[in-house]
Amino acid sequence: MSKDLPLIIPSPQPQVEESFAAYQTTHQFYQEVQVRSEHQQFCEWYHTTAERHRQELKRMRGEFNIMQFFLRRQ
């Protein structure tokens, strides 16, 4: 029975190991590309939002402050 074992469970071939290593490297590469792409999108969104908030703040500072009008009357 022990002489039949190599036929049932073949030993790993170098081709399989090389193919798996290539797959693993490719998978890690695309995962890194995705992470960097998501980070770039977040940075663009952040800068756009920050610029919009700066513009809104500038506009608000230029508007008439109605609360001062009520506070002076008292």
Side-chain angles (χ1 to χ4, degrees):
M1 175 113 172
S2 64
K3 62 183 176 191
D4 295 332
L5 191 58
L7 299 176
I8 296 172
I9 306 173
S11 61
Q13 299 174 359
Q15 270 183 336
V16 173
E17 291 177 7
E18 290 174 8
S19 297
F20 182 71
Y23 166 78
Q24 192 172 18
T25 303
T26 303
H27 179 72
Q28 289 174 348
F29 172 77
Y30 282 110
Q31 191 173 16
E32 180 70 22
V33 168
Q34 181 181 3
V35 167
R36 289 182 183 210
S37 175
E38 289 173 357
H39 179 71
Q40 180 65 32
Q41 289 174 354
F42 171 77
C43 289
E44 289 173 5
W45 169 84
Y46 184 87
H47 290 297
T48 303
T49 303
E51 182 60 32
R52 189 176 70 236
H53 288 173
R54 282 191 287 272
Q55 291 172 357
E56 289 175 1
L57 179 62
K58 185 177 179 181
R59 189 178 73 239
M60 286 170 49
R61 285 182 175 164
E63 292 177 352
F64 178 71
N65 187 355
I66 197 165
M67 290 305 290
Q68 284 182 342
F69 178 74
F70 290 115
L71 291 176
R72 287 183 191 171
R73 294 252 181 206
Q74 293 179 358

